[in-house]
Amino acid sequence: MSLTAFSLVVLAGLIHACWNIAAKKAAGDARFVFFTCIVLMLVWAPLGWWLGREEVPRWGAIEWGFVVASGVLHVVYFVVLLRGYRKADLTVVYPLARGSGPLLSSLFAIAFLGEHISALGALGIAGVVGGVFLIAGGPGLLRAAHDPKARQRVHKGMAYGLLTGVFIAGYTLVDGYAVKFLLMSPILIDYMGNFVRLLLLAPSVLRDLPTARQLWRVQWRYALLVAVVSPVAYVLVLYAMQQAPLSHVAPAREVSMLFAALIGGHLLGEGDRFARILGALCIAAGVTALALG
């Protein structure tokens, strides 16, 4: 990976971790995602129009199919992620979500596509498993086994984190193929996919407008922050995918877990910070080894 691509990924990781912390503090649901999509549509409209006025009319069924698939996968990803943040700690959900995507992709390739794994790749799987154990509380989790409430919270965080990882792997493959092989604009595939997200999420808002208005008054600042910075983080990754192999970029994105563990543990006061930072490091090293091996 070139220094430029790696720099884009690291910067994207920092931005990604920051907006996830804002989303955690918002404690929102599908309606929060809708608020974010509305603000994103308005804030980025000038750039979307400028880039799309010539390119979008040239899109055919294949390009629009990828836009729709991207929008659907992102909606499910956002909804599952935010539900996980409401039910469990960010420092459990976020690293598992970010780390499980590359792991699941590698295991799928080994099991169903006839690919082989090297010793380095097997070591990577061990690193991810060890990281999961540490993030879940490590030895402290075993000592706290007598506390059903704490144990249940960790288990929920693990389940939501892994489920989120499935959809991360899905939209990464879809969007990566679109920008790398169909040569679609990274900015446009994200911006146009946002309209798909709006259509899918609108019923959750229209179903109860008074409650939606109350939530907007509480959450609009967080929605504005996420709408402004989250596209920047993802578009930087898509540009990196145009310059480097997807199998290298996807694992490199896991640097965001370190930022989340450091910043999130400090701002949100979630416990076991050292174990979770160590676990994030293990998962990052593991998925990198999987990419190389």
Side-chain angles (χ1 to χ4, degrees):
M1 186 185 301
S2 68
L3 180 60
T4 300
F6 183 73
S7 299
L8 290 174
V9 172
V10 171
L11 178 58
L14 177 59
I15 298 172
H16 195 279
C18 290
W19 79 250
N20 270 264
I21 292 168
K24 164 71 174 177
K25 292 176 73 68
D29 54 14
R31 287 167 290 195
F32 176 74
V33 184
F34 181 84
F35 300 153
T36 301
C37 291
I38 285 287
V39 178
L40 189 155
M41 178 186 67
L42 297 174
V43 169
W44 294 103
L47 183 60
W49 174 82
W50 178 260
L51 294 176
R53 69 193 195 282
E54 293 183 0
E55 181 173 343
V56 171
R58 294 197 297 266
W59 286 357
I62 294 177
E63 287 82 2
W64 282 112
F66 271 84
V67 168
V68 171
S70 175
V72 171
L73 288 169
H74 274 88
V75 163
V76 182
Y77 154 71
F78 272 120
V79 171
V80 173
L81 179 68
L82 291 176
R83 184 172 178 83
Y85 285 165
R86 295 197 306 274
K87 300 290 185 179
D89 292 346
L90 176 138
T91 44
V92 172
V93 176
Y94 187 83
L96 288 178
R98 300 311 314 171
S100 58
L103 174 62
L104 293 172
S105 300
S106 298
L107 292 178
F108 182 87
I110 295 167
F112 299 104
L113 301 181
E115 294 188 3
H116 302 283
I117 191 168
S118 67
L120 181 61
L123 192 61
I125 291 178
V128 172
V129 173
V132 168
F133 177 68
L134 289 170
I135 287 173
L141 180 63
L142 301 178
R143 291 194 297 269
H146 63 279
D147 186 349
K149 184 176 292 187
R151 186 169 63 250
Q152 185 181 32
R153 186 173 179 82
V154 170
H155 288 168
K156 284 184 178 179
M158 294 174 68
Y160 279 109
L162 292 172
L163 183 58
T164 304
V166 172
F167 293 103
I168 289 175
Y171 75 64
T172 299
L173 290 172
V174 168
D175 293 349
Y177 186 92
V179 302
K180 200 170 186 67
F181 297 100
L182 299 181
L183 302 181
M184 297 175 67
S185 164
I187 294 174
L188 285 178
I189 191 170
D190 185 66
Y191 185 73
M192 299 306 293
N194 185 63
F195 290 97
V196 178
R197 299 193 286 267
L198 278 172
L199 290 174
L200 293 175
L201 293 165
S204 66
V205 175
L206 298 176
R207 194 178 300 123
D208 187 356
L209 285 175
T211 301
R213 281 193 289 266
Q214 292 176 0
L215 290 173
W216 168 256
R217 286 194 289 268
V218 175
Q219 298 174 348
W220 72 267
R221 293 178 181 83
Y222 298 112
L224 175 61
L225 176 61
V226 174
V228 170
V229 303
S230 63
V232 176
Y234 192 55
V235 167
L236 288 176
V237 170
L238 293 180
Y239 274 114
M241 287 181 183
Q242 288 185 325
Q243 300 180 29
L246 189 150
S247 61
H248 289 67
V249 173
R253 293 186 67 193
E254 310 318 315
V255 70
S256 64
M257 295 186 301
L258 308 183
F259 296 126
L262 287 167
I263 302 172
H266 176 70
L267 292 180
L268 303 177
E270 298 175 355
D272 300 319
R273 192 186 311 172
F274 176 76
R276 292 177 181 180
I277 291 173
L278 184 59
L281 281 168
C282 288
I283 293 178
V287 294
T288 302
L290 278 170
L292 298 175

